Amino acid sequence: MVNILMNGCNGKMGQVITELVSQDDSVCISAGVDVYDGIENSYPVFPSIDEVNVGFDVIIDFSTAAVVGKVIDYCEKHRKPVVICTTGLSDDILGRIEELSKTCAVLRSANMSIGVNVLMKLLKQAVVSLAPEGFDSEVVEIHHNQHLAAPSGA
């Protein structure tokens, strides 16, 4: 069994991951981290990663750009693998993630939304057809009303 620390557990994606994990016997969420405590979870939730006192194997991060630096610090100190799915990261944080990947397992995804990933695939197909015909296209990103970090994929 893989034990997960869900960073950003009370956000929209944190709750999606919580539900998915509850349906899979090979993984469990041992603890969560979130400053918002208005959701009841089946695992303990801590306001900061530094306060976690529960064992886990890997961190899944769907938090905010302001928190990712602390996650990187924790992973560097404790050599924990991490999945970082938070968007809107600065060049400094992206560089720190690159450095972390030299000593810890890191998976970083700029956007896990099925809608955005399908759109990216469609856009690649559209460019192949439209660019040779002289089309000058522009894509404008708009998020759902619950998304905190815009634009995605940064």
Side-chain angles (χ1 to χ4, degrees):
M1 164 116 21
V2 176
N3 292 298
I4 299 167
L5 174 67
M6 184 67 237
N7 195 50
C9 64
N10 290 335
K12 186 169 179 71
M13 286 305 298
Q15 288 296 291
V16 167
I17 300 299
T18 296
E19 176 60 27
L20 289 171
V21 167
S22 75
Q23 300 169 26
D24 187 336
D25 293 336
S26 67
V27 293
C28 78
I29 298 178
S30 326
V33 175
D34 209 303
V35 293
Y36 177 68
D37 62 1
I39 295 178
E40 192 71 29
N41 291 291
S42 61
Y43 48 83
V45 177
F46 300 88
S48 167
I49 195 166
D50 296 324
E51 297 179 43
V52 174
N53 61 8
V54 175
F56 60 91
D57 303 309
V58 64
I59 300 169
I60 297 179
D61 176 69
F62 272 101
S63 62
T64 63
V67 177
V68 175
K70 282 190 161 217
V71 173
I72 294 168
D73 292 342
Y74 189 94
C75 291
E76 288 172 340
K77 182 177 179 181
H78 300 282
R79 298 292 182 239
K80 290 290 185 177
V82 62
V83 178
I84 299 176
C85 304
T86 298
T87 59
L89 302 177
S90 68
D91 289 340
D92 177 56
I93 292 294
L94 292 173
R96 290 191 61 207
I97 292 169
E98 181 70 27
E99 284 301 309
L100 178 65
S101 72
K102 295 175 183 175
T103 58
C104 291
V106 174
L107 176 100
R108 186 179 87 75
S109 175
N111 195 308
M112 293 218 171
S113 159
I114 190 168
V116 168
N117 284 287
V118 168
L119 180 61
M120 295 298 283
K121 185 174 183 177
L122 292 172
L123 286 172
K124 287 177 184 175
Q125 292 174 343
V127 166
V128 169
S129 299
L130 298 176
E133 300 299 321
F135 282 82
D136 181 18
S137 303
E138 179 180 358
V139 176
V140 178
E141 179 184 27
I142 300 173
H143 278 91
H144 57 80
N145 64 359
Q146 296 170 349
H147 196 276
L148 297 177
S152 283

